[in-house]
Amino acid sequence: MRTELLLGGQWVSKEERLPVVYPYTGEKVAEVSKADEQDVYKAIELAKEGFEEISSLTPYERYQILMKASQILSARAEEFAKTLVLEVGKTIREARTEVQRAIQTLIFSAEEAKRIGGEVIPIDAHPNGKGKVGFYMREPVGIVSAITPFNFPLNLSMHKVAPALACGNAVILKPSERTPLTPLMLGEVLLEAGLPPKALSILPGYGDVGKAMTTHPDVRVVSFTGSRKIGEIITRQAGIKKVVLELGSNSAIVLHKDGDLKKAVQKTVLGGYAIAGQVCISVQRVFVHEDLFEEYLKELEEAVSRLKVGDPMQEETDVGPMIALSEVQRVQEWIDEALQEGARLITGGVSCGDKVSSVLSPTIVSLVPTNVRLFREEAFAPVVVVNPYRDVEEAIRMVNDSEYGLQVGVFTRDINVAWEFIRKVKAGGVLINEGPNFRADHMPYGGVKYSGIGREGPRFAVEDYTEIKMVIFDLT
């Protein structure tokens, strides 16, 4: 298990250390070197050299490096999965899924390295363009600063690092201070695969490191996944550079009167309680047509009661701990506020014992007023809100009654109803007869409103990690 930070391809041990705590037991499982601002400045100077090296590689050579990295990661998949359980607290089955997704993200990024091209522009379509031909091509931006959250430390790091490297950029990554282990292991994999060492730094640390990474004038792109609060700070302080933000949501499911109730229940459970609800596209709000409301609530409660909660290393566990006890306490305050305002607790809402106090029992709350935090904010917890609606227009209004807009799932058999949601819902993704938590790692993924700016997915990330260079020949 790597505990040094990675500075321009070199492993560096620092006196100051960051503790890594297993959320299930509260036990410290590791300490890693803590970076500071000076490390960022050194990393940027090294990245300038690393950029020259990686950008001089052919697209095929970058493809080979990333493909080899995917093979190394595949060989170490179980090691990565168990480390994810220890630092995040997700179940071992969820951790294995994240590793397999990260492998696919690597492969998709490798393939994109060979596809970065351009387009012929018909200059003579303009009155002044006679005798001229033109085209544009894409070039790497230079240095990319990437900041990732705790919930998917491997795959979300991969979504930033791998496409940026595929384009020929140097990357500086700051993982969450809570979950630095698998990102550091990722650095080890990429170096073993033949990446030019100076093209990658991984700097675990706090906000001072993030600020230095995002404000430095030599950084050309900042890619951040995390809270809206930090995203707003970054946009204000970044300066003149590209900023890509994925800031979460309070995603919704809509079950219309002609929708598949059993499938909607299944997708609510899968989307609402995976990773203890700590997913930006986690199902948080469910709007059910009044004709199905009581039946849906009954079936959902029964399904949730069958979930096995507890030790995330056990194969049969469905729901593990939240990242920290403080997060459990925060969500319990939100639940209490909703109940005081007239909401109804169907099940859950309590910590599961002393030893596993960071485990919040899977919770359902119904008839939640729209003014409370449990409805309006991102809960990031194993809590699902269920409210009824009368018609399609009301359901659309309820979905859009949010400052977020990442993804929404709609269950209906009527193509016209589906199309109404597609046209009128303000979100980055509308999924018909699927939960909003579905994501294929090569699709354009991102949101509108306060859910962020830009899109992830290797092909689409290439647009952010490259600049267009226009070329014109005068042939007269």
Side-chain angles (χ1 to χ4, degrees):
M1 187 183 293
R2 279 288 179 187
T3 59
E4 310 98 320
L5 58 81
L6 184 63
L7 186 58
Q10 299 298 314
W11 296 103
V12 177
S13 183
K14 302 292 292 287
E15 186 174 336
E16 280 195 81
R17 316 287 285 178
L18 290 171
V20 180
V21 175
Y22 183 27
Y24 182 61
T25 63
E27 173 191 6
K28 183 168 69 175
V29 294
E31 288 185 338
V32 302
S33 291
K34 174 185 172 295
D36 57 30
E37 292 179 50
Q38 293 305 313
D39 294 314
V40 176
Y41 302 144
K42 292 176 188 175
I44 288 173
E45 291 306 309
L46 291 167
K48 293 176 184 178
E49 299 177 43
F51 168 62
E52 295 298 326
E53 294 176 21
I54 192 171
S55 63
S56 67
L57 298 177
T58 68
Y60 184 74
E61 288 170 331
R62 294 196 292 270
Y63 160 82
Q64 285 182 306
I65 291 170
L66 295 177
M67 285 301 294
K68 185 174 180 181
S70 73
Q71 295 159 6
I72 297 169
L73 180 55
S74 295
R76 296 178 61 182
E78 189 67 8
E79 175 192 355
F80 269 81
K82 289 181 177 178
T83 306
L84 281 168
V85 175
L86 290 175
E87 63 179 346
V88 182
K90 61 178 57 182
T91 69
I92 186 63
R93 288 183 287 128
E94 292 167 340
R96 289 181 184 131
T97 298
E98 179 175 353
V99 176
Q100 293 306 311
R101 286 183 59 190
I103 292 168
Q104 290 302 313
T105 304
L106 251 178
I107 293 171
F108 279 121
S109 299
E111 292 167 341
E112 288 304 321
K114 299 191 291 184
R115 298 174 182 155
I116 301 171
E119 183 180 342
V120 172
I121 303 297
I123 303 299
D124 55 2
H126 190 279
N128 295 333
K130 186 175 182 179
K132 294 180 173 63
V133 296
F135 62 89
Y136 72 82
M137 55 189 189
R138 288 190 173 272
E139 295 185 336
V141 296
I143 301 175
V144 173
S145 283
I147 302 176
T148 52
F150 73 82
N151 57 338
F152 288 89
L154 177 61
N155 193 40
L156 291 184
S157 295
M158 194 73 79
H159 264 288
K160 301 179 189 304
V161 172
L165 296 176
C167 296
N169 296 294
V171 182
I172 301 170
L173 169 67
K174 191 194 92 65
S176 168
E177 66 276 4
R178 287 170 162 165
T179 56
L181 298 178
T182 50
L184 290 169
M185 292 165 66
L186 170 60
E188 193 176 39
V189 167
L190 288 166
L191 292 178
E192 184 181 343
L195 182 74
K198 293 178 182 178
L200 181 64
S201 292
I202 301 176
L203 306 178
Y206 294 111
D208 59 331
V209 173
K211 183 176 182 180
M213 287 172 55
T214 56
T215 57
H216 198 288
D218 290 333
V219 171
R220 301 313 307 143
V221 176
V222 173
S223 182
F224 169 78
T225 299
S227 72
R228 169 183 165 183
K229 177 182 177 181
I230 302 301
E232 287 185 320
I233 292 172
I234 288 173
T235 56
R236 295 178 189 279
Q237 69 186 20
I240 300 175
K241 55 177 67 76
K242 293 184 183 181
V243 178
V244 184
L245 304 173
E246 200 282 280
L247 305 179
S249 192
N250 49 10
S251 296
I253 274 181
V254 177
L255 173 58
H256 198 48
K257 59 184 177 183
D258 63 347
D260 187 330
L261 186 145
K262 291 188 180 299
K263 187 176 181 182
V265 168
Q266 174 195 5
K267 296 297 182 178
T268 303
V269 173
L270 179 64
Y273 306 106
I275 327 293
Q278 299 167 122
V279 184
C280 49
I281 41 176
S282 178
V283 176
Q284 181 174 332
R285 302 179 301 155
V286 182
F287 303 113
V288 183
H289 192 275
E290 59 186 6
D291 292 353
L292 302 179
F293 182 70
E294 293 299 335
E295 182 183 359
Y296 172 88
L297 264 183
K298 178 183 177 183
E299 294 218 10
L300 180 63
E301 183 181 5
E302 290 176 358
V304 168
S305 70
R306 294 192 291 269
L307 293 174
K308 183 171 178 55
V309 181
D311 186 348
M313 279 290 187
Q314 298 298 317
E315 296 285 345
E316 64 273 16
T317 299
D318 299 305
V319 181
M322 295 182 68
I323 192 66
L325 175 60
S326 59
E327 289 299 294
V328 175
Q329 294 168 338
R330 171 187 62 81
V331 174
Q332 286 179 315
E333 289 178 5
W334 289 18
I335 294 169
D336 290 342
E337 176 193 48
L339 298 179
Q340 290 169 6
E341 292 293 320
R344 180 161 60 108
L345 181 66
I346 305 300
T347 187
V350 294
S351 299
C352 298
D354 295 332
K355 182 181 177 182
V356 289
S357 57
S358 59
V359 179
L360 180 68
S361 58
T363 301
I364 306 169
V365 187
S366 71
L367 306 176
V368 176
T370 61
N371 63 304
V372 301
R373 286 175 291 180
L374 195 59
F375 186 95
R376 306 220 65 82
E377 302 294 332
E378 181 180 33
F380 224 59
V383 180
V384 171
V385 167
V386 185
N387 283 359
Y389 72 91
R390 291 185 178 180
D391 54 37
V392 170
E393 289 302 320
E394 183 183 16
I396 291 170
R397 285 196 303 273
M398 293 168 82
V399 171
N400 286 338
D401 185 15
S402 171
E403 294 183 326
Y404 299 102
L406 192 45
Q407 295 195 157
V408 60
V410 180
F411 289 83
T412 179
R413 293 182 175 89
D414 188 328
I415 187 65
N416 294 310
V417 170
W419 195 249
E420 279 293 285
F421 281 93
I422 292 168
R423 286 196 313 113
K424 295 180 179 180
V425 164
K426 305 302 180 185
V430 179
L431 293 79
I432 305 302
N433 296 319
E434 178 57 87
N437 57 298
F438 177 83
R439 178 182 181 181
D441 287 291
H442 63 304
M443 75 186 204
Y445 171 79
V448 300
K449 298 189 280 189
Y450 285 114
S451 283
I453 301 169
R455 294 293 182 271
E456 287 191 338
R459 173 188 163 194
F460 305 93
V462 163
E463 298 177 8
D464 290 311
Y465 297 144
T466 56
E467 299 281 11
I468 287 176
K469 176 176 281 184
M470 186 68 206
V471 179
I472 297 177
F473 284 89
D474 188 339
L475 304 178
T476 54

